[in-house]
Amino acid sequence: MKTHIKNRSLNEITEYALAKGQPAFRAKQLFEWIWKKQAESFGEMTNLPLSFREALEADFWVNTLETADEQVSADGTRKFVFALADGQKIESVLIPSDGRITACISTQVGCALGCRFCATGSMGFVRDMDFTEIHDQIIRLMKLSAARYQTTLDNIVVMGMGEPLLNFDNTITALDRISDKTTLNFSPQRITISTAGIVPAIIRMADKNLPYHLAISLHSANEAKRKQMMPVAQKYPLPMLTDALKHYHAKTGNRITIEYILFGGLNDAPEDAAALAQFCRSFPVKINLIQYNATSLGTFGSSTAADSKKFVQFLENKNIIVNLRKSKGADILAACGQLVKNSNLKPDIS
Ligand code: SAH
Ligand code: SF4
């Protein structure tokens, strides 16, 4: 049975090379291809002897992802469906904006948290992605960025399918391998992990002093409304979340990004803006206001342009940094919250 080469240490690969009659330095060359040179197959490792590549090919995988589908939005956003070795599918997105390319990556097949507005949440939890699958995904997207946009990847946002902080070790291991100085040296400052608010994992990020940006999907600073939209808020209510974020800021010194979808008539009134401003007093923040992207889940609607503008102005008057983010890729169901296993949910845009 083939296994993934990314699960093997340098020592193990060295032993393997020696057993195949190769000098030990072949293992180092192989490691460079895997971790530094973004190899996705043994065939491209041209400085290794053909017989050794054939042996490796028979025994190991380098990248288990198959690109099963690709769609291009009118705005240039591209959505990819990747099939994993067991046939499960995940989606990832490349988003061009102001000459930069951002990759939105997945960490789980499905999601257990069931936020009422999210298509991924509606499919339930299937399984965690292994660190090799998350790493394979990033490498594939780096290659695809070069191939489709003729430029290297600038940013990674962990905002695809799944809750990354419920798959902590696999997610962090993959990101650490990408940002390690001896491998791709991808700046951790250009990586953002988004969470629905898993308090113990936020504390863990703080205590490990992880260098990645943290984004919190808040969506309401009113406890009752948040619980209504996000069942996870029952387990981790706002005071707990506030304490965890204070701790995070105290330990890391990092500013926290707050994500807030503007839903028409639900969380976009002046009193909602006031509650949000109050929530943001405990630590330095940047607020990303997100347009609601329609899914077939019903019940939610978008905020009007006038209400959104008032909301922004309220926060700006409090000297809070606010971005009103334009949604990208909605025509191919690639926008935030629209990613699902089989793209079988149709947008409710009537
Ligand atoms: N599970 C993590 C990361 C994946 S979701 C989290 O919830 O943060 C990435 C972002 O998309 C989150 O901010 C989420 O709230 C948002 N999102 C989900 N459904 C959406 C929708 N229909 N429209 C706009 N944003 C949505
Ligand atoms: Fe899961 Fe995030 Fe979707 Fe909520 S918004 S269901 S946490 S993926």
Side-chain angles (χ1 to χ4, degrees), residues 185-204:
N185 199 17
F186 193 96
S187 169
Q189 298 297 314
R190 295 191 279 125
I191 299 178
T192 300
I193 299 176
S194 176
T195 176
I198 307 299
V199 163
I202 294 169
I203 294 169
R204 206 168 152 204

Side-chain angles (χ1 to χ4, degrees), residues 250-297:
K251 284 268 178 176
T252 65
N254 288 346
R255 186 190 0 235
I256 296 153
T257 298
I258 302 289
E259 293 166 281
Y260 194 103
I261 307 171
L262 284 169
F263 295 109
L266 177 61
N267 66 353
D268 63 345
E271 65 261 27
D272 296 302
L276 177 56
Q278 178 67 28
F279 180 85
C280 293
R281 282 173 62 162
S282 302
F283 25 75
V285 299
K286 176 182 90 178
I287 299 179
N288 279 339
L289 295 174
I290 307 171
Q291 267 174 287
Y292 168 59
N293 299 307
T295 68
S296 62
L297 306 173

